[in-house]
Amino acid sequence: GLMESTLNKLQTIKDLRVISRTSVERYRNTDKSIQEIAEDLDVQYIIEGSGQRVNNQILLSIQLIDAKKDSPVWTNQYEYKVVDIFSLQNTVAKKIAQAIQAKITPEELIRLEKKPTENTVAYDLYFKGLEQLNIRSTESLFKGIEYFEEAIEKDPEFALAYAKLALSYFWLDEFKTDKSYTDII
């Protein structure tokens, strides 16, 4: 979830072309090289990262790779408290943009700094829901709905949680003739 959110931040920068996490997911367990993946996706750089949460800390390792050279342009490790998660996302997005010398307008900088919610518990629930939403099975969509509803209970003004909740219901009905959830959306 943290990586997806960071990628969403990067997508707000017009000077960058960012491929969606969904499109990249198929390469998770591939034998293809960085160069082959970059060629398939028609990109110059690839971001690799791993993270873990230990109690109230997030440990994150990220590297930006020049795909043609198959060499790191920038690499860093971060250790943040969960309460600083928004700061971490903004820092990582800015560092990546700086490493590839992307131009960031003042308006884009404002969007980068904007927090989707002040409630870190709601944000954590949102990420759990997002993980379920990305699986897209009926069972996972219902589990995701539970997480998004909990996030909304924690922060009734959390727009992203409402949007993903609606998307979950949409996907439950996507290929059905008789729609069951359109009234809920």
Side-chain angles (χ1 to χ4, degrees):
L2 181 62
M3 286 304 293
E4 183 162 341
S5 186
T6 302
L7 290 176
N8 288 340
K9 295 269 184 192
L10 288 170
Q11 287 174 334
T12 67
I13 302 170
K14 289 182 185 173
D15 201 31
L16 297 178
R17 184 174 149 265
V18 179
I19 304 297
S20 72
R21 187 200 59 78
T22 306
S23 296
V24 176
E25 189 65 30
R26 64 183 171 181
Y27 297 102
R28 181 179 292 273
N29 296 314
T30 186
D31 292 334
K32 287 190 172 194
S33 69
I34 293 287
Q35 289 110 337
E36 291 171 319
I37 295 169
E39 190 174 307
D40 286 355
L41 296 171
D42 190 27
V43 297
Q44 185 176 352
Y45 300 99
I46 291 187
I47 300 169
E48 280 186 336
S50 63
Q52 62 185 32
R53 182 177 176 169
V54 178
N55 299 323
N56 206 23
Q57 293 284 113
I58 293 178
L59 309 169
L60 190 64
S61 296
I62 299 176
Q63 65 177 340
L64 177 69
I65 300 168
D66 182 323
K68 287 189 170 100
K69 298 176 184 174
D70 194 6
S71 64
V73 173
W74 169 84
T75 183
N76 213 335
Q77 291 186 321
Y78 297 93
E79 185 174 329
Y80 272 70
K81 292 188 180 205
V82 172
V83 294
D84 294 335
I85 193 76
F86 304 114
S87 176
L88 174 59
Q89 289 171 220
N90 293 341
T91 299
V92 170
K94 286 178 194 173
K95 293 284 186 187
I96 290 169
Q98 289 169 354
I100 57 177
Q101 299 173 350
K103 296 178 186 101
I104 303 174
T105 67
E107 294 83 15
E108 291 167 342
L109 193 55
I110 290 169
R111 283 195 300 270
L112 278 174
E113 297 290 337
K114 187 176 180 186
K115 294 180 181 180
T117 178
E118 294 292 332
N119 189 315
T120 56
V121 174
Y123 203 51
D124 191 42
L125 289 164
Y126 167 78
F127 277 130
K128 288 178 181 178
L130 203 55
E131 185 177 356
Q132 296 300 313
L133 178 66
N134 289 329
I135 295 170
R136 292 194 195 169
S137 69
T138 300
E139 182 181 320
S140 71
L141 289 171
F142 279 118
K143 187 65 179 165
I145 287 168
E146 289 176 27
Y147 284 126
F148 295 131
E149 287 176 342
E150 284 183 64
I152 291 166
E153 283 177 26
K154 300 288 182 193
D155 180 358
E157 303 206 3
F158 189 5
L160 282 175
Y162 282 105
K164 298 302 183 181
L165 176 63
L167 193 56
S168 298
Y169 282 120
F170 168 79
W171 278 331
L172 281 172
D173 270 350
E174 185 178 20
F175 298 109
K176 294 181 180 174
T177 304
D178 296 324
K179 308 294 184 191
S180 303
Y181 302 103
T182 52
D183 290 339
I184 296 172
I185 299 171

